[in-house]
Amino acid sequence: MRKFAICAAAILAANAMPAGATVSIDFQAGGNVLPGGTAIIDNFNGVAGTILAPGAMIHAATSDGNGALPAFGDGTNFLSVLGGGSYSIAFGATSAVSFVLGSLDTYNSVLLSFVGGTTQLLTGAQIKGFLNPTPLTNSGDQVIPATNGRVTYTVNSGDPLINGITFASEANSFEIDDFATAVPEPATWAMLLLGFGTIGYSMRRRRAMVTDRKS
């Protein structure tokens, strides 16, 4: 398995990203190591059968005609996007997003949304950074590392941050699990805290001024 992962990395390095790409893509073939600096924001471990959006559901930790348990996920419930369905997740602007995918196929797609309103569509093998077509990348196989593992999208320096993602599929199914985003850096937290502190100070000052006028 390790040998395959090395080969996959070499192929990824040899293939240029699709034209207009604004992110770097890392694919852990057969792996599920959460990238440093990221945290899971949705593991889709709600009640199995729950419909999250038209054509998208929380699937039990099994495999059937509506979805296959990701081979290298956490072994629990997962998101299954059925044929003709889609599921969107909005979040605070971030420099990286990451998720586990299962049985990647040609009819699966990912739409990244960026601050400012631009988007980037990735289909089939492009989802994991490969050009279409390449061997063993779009088979929909439920077991092999070529179609199962963790994908991470990282914004290139100077490009707009990511603030949304849409998973879609033209046929059954697109399986997703353990969705994560980058954790804000300490400097970002400091700016947020400073902003909240300023707002709090302004509100207290306003209340004090109103009290003075009344007295």
Side-chain angles (χ1 to χ4, degrees):
M1 184 180 300
R2 183 178 179 182
K3 182 178 179 181
F4 180 87
I6 294 174
C7 291
I11 295 172
L12 177 56
N15 284 293
M17 280 297 301
T22 57
V23 295
S24 297
I25 301 179
D26 174 69
F27 175 56
Q28 294 179 33
N32 182 13
V33 178
L34 195 65
T38 65
I40 294 175
I41 64 171
D42 200 339
N43 56 16
F44 307 105
N45 282 345
V47 178
T50 300
I51 304 300
L52 300 178
M57 61 182 290
I58 295 177
H59 196 290
T62 57
S63 299
D64 57 30
N66 287 328
L69 181 68
F72 303 99
D74 61 13
T76 61
N77 294 357
F78 58 95
L79 168 68
S80 182
V81 181
L82 308 180
S86 65
Y87 182 67
S88 298
I89 306 175
F91 40 83
T94 182
S95 60
V97 296
S98 181
F99 58 90
V100 173
L101 63 78
S103 52
L104 179 67
D105 218 318
T106 52
Y107 46 71
N108 300 148
S109 68
V110 169
L111 181 70
L112 296 173
S113 300
F114 302 91
V115 173
T118 59
T119 60
Q120 181 181 0
L121 179 65
L122 302 171
T123 61
Q126 294 175 348
I127 292 172
K128 62 175 190 171
F130 288 64
L131 292 178
N132 287 323
T134 53
L136 298 177
T137 58
N138 294 317
S139 68
D141 192 287
Q142 299 176 12
V143 178
I144 62 175
T147 53
N148 295 268
R150 177 170 284 279
V151 177
T152 302
Y153 302 131
T154 305
V155 173
N156 294 327
S157 178
D159 285 333
L161 297 177
I162 305 169
N163 63 359
I165 190 168
T166 298
F167 301 103
S169 192
E170 295 177 359
N172 288 9
S173 298
F174 190 7
E175 296 86 356
I176 302 296
D177 204 3
D178 293 341
F179 182 78
T181 63
V183 178
E185 297 180 359
T188 303
W189 281 116
M191 291 181 64
L192 288 172
L193 292 173
L194 178 62
F196 290 141
T198 301
I199 293 172
Y201 173 78
S202 298
M203 292 178 66
R204 287 194 301 272
R205 182 175 176 81
R206 180 173 296 179
R207 284 197 297 267
M209 292 175 64
V210 170
T211 301
D212 289 343
R213 290 196 189 100
K214 289 183 178 179
S215 60

